[in-house]
Amino acid sequence: MPPRDEDDELHAISEVARCFGLSVATLRYYDELGLLPPAGRRRNVRHYGRRELRRLALIQHLHQGGMLSLADTAAALGERGPDGVRRPPGRAVLTGAIQLIEDRMADLQAARQRLAHLLTCPKDDPVRECTQLRAELDQAVTQALSR
């Protein structure tokens, strides 16, 4: 661990938890998972400096934004977990997360097109009367059943 700067202001764990909208137990859990660099201690209270706060902000963006699970976040931030088990390289985890987001975006785009078609189709009952939509739905059903 690199030495701490003399002018690096330290913040108590309770203050950091309040500022980030987390519980102290969550921060301790992040420490146990190895997500945060080891916190400094003063009189048996954990204190965080700028480096730890930056890491916590990254965890907030990745995990709480729904982009990565805690396990994937841990893998992206380090190659070994607290249990010593080797994890997939961080870049592989991030590439997989990007692909998952792109797949979800494609699915949402397709759903949006179907809904827009339902709004603009001249048929009274597009689900029953529109041949294009029925063909798409039949294909989706066939594909779902073949998995």
Side-chain angles (χ1 to χ4, degrees), residues 21-65:
L22 300 169
S23 69
V24 171
T26 300
L27 287 178
R28 287 188 180 127
Y29 181 64
Y30 287 177
D31 273 348
E32 290 171 15
L33 289 178
L35 292 172
L36 295 172
R41 291 188 178 266
R42 285 187 187 161
R43 292 185 296 260
N44 210 21
V45 175
R46 296 176 192 197
H47 284 74
Y48 296 94
R50 177 68 62 185
R51 184 175 57 143
E52 293 86 2
L53 295 177
R54 279 195 300 265
R55 178 68 68 94
L56 185 56
L58 177 61
I59 292 166
Q60 293 276 87
H61 284 301
L62 295 176
H63 172 64
Q64 292 188 344

Side-chain angles (χ1 to χ4, degrees), residues 9 11 17 19 30 41 66 68 86 93 99 117 122 132 137:
E9 184 178 352
H11 305 273
C19 290
Y30 287 177
R41 291 188 178 266
L68 292 178
R86 193 161 205 38
V93 170
Q99 185 59 51
H117 178 75
Q132 174 192 347
L137 294 175

Side-chain angles (χ1 to χ4, degrees), residues 102-136:
E102 288 175 355
D103 293 345
R104 286 169 59 191
M105 288 171 51
D107 291 343
L108 290 172
Q109 183 66 23
R112 182 185 157 288
Q113 288 173 347
R114 285 187 187 95
L115 291 173
H117 178 75
L118 287 173
L119 284 174
T120 59
C121 185
K123 307 283 186 185
D124 288 336
D125 187 357
V127 175
R128 291 195 177 118
E129 298 174 20
C130 179
T131 357
Q132 174 192 347
L133 182 62
R134 284 185 65 125
E136 284 180 28

